[in-house]
Amino acid sequence: MADIPDDKPAQSWQSLQQFTAARIALGRAGVSIPVKQSLEFKMAHAHARDAVYSKLHFDELVEAFKQFNLPVVHLHSKAGYREQYLQRPDLGRRLSEESCLHLSGYSAENDIAIIIADGLSATAVNENIIDLLILFLPLLKYANIKPAPICLVEQGRVAIGDDIGSILKAKISLVLLGERPGLSAHDSLGAYLTYNPQPGLTDESRNCISNIRPNGLNLEEAAAKMFYLVQQSLKRQLSGVQLKDDTRAGYFP
């Protein structure tokens, strides 16, 4: 059998590039990939590392939140600094004692606690959260769903919503945070919904909407899916594996 020319496999994959951000059909330069593609890979890796160590733009976010006419509460997990947060995931899941005391002053009956945390990419929050809330919060108002004060959390992971939702006596917690950055997405948000949030819950109690970003699940669809799940969770009084996302692609109420 004749040998296939070096560029033949790459050419056969090139038509698929339009469907994925994955690095396929890069070509070869000897036994390596071409310089251009190699530099692009290194740049993507640098963006991912930067995202992990990025910080929330608190002043800018708080100023932008004023348009929503909701109080904003600044909170912190038990992880004191970024390296500890990365090495001790358990600390990022719990609210610090000082923040617990501070938040207790806002305790009241609420339908939903919206928690915004840096997660593993504060960049994702800084770039996307305002536009997402502009779409999402009016839907809550339309449905007469009462939100608690917006909680802005440093060094927070998904489960920190259990502490916060419990203290605020919220029926639902909705945690919006930066997802672990990949080499094609350093700006991706995740949304995690939990009914009757209480410390000690595990992931089967939550619904997740992932890859929220302009080049992933667009913000309009994400807001629609979040609203649908909130409505269904309140109606059926459950979340997680028992609550399915039955929205159709492109659905927006």
Side-chain angles (χ1 to χ4, degrees), residues 220-241:
E220 290 83 3
E221 288 188 40
K225 286 178 178 290
M226 286 160 49
F227 180 56
Y228 173 84
L229 289 174
V230 167
Q231 286 188 305
Q232 291 298 308
S233 182
L234 290 172
K235 178 180 178 180
R236 300 171 62 184
Q237 300 183 7
L238 50 80
S239 62
V241 296

Side-chain angles (χ1 to χ4, degrees), residues 102-120:
H102 179 51
L103 191 62
S104 63
Y106 295 87
S107 179
E109 295 292 337
N110 299 286
D111 292 320
I112 182 170
I114 299 174
I115 298 111
I116 299 166
D118 43 12
L120 287 168

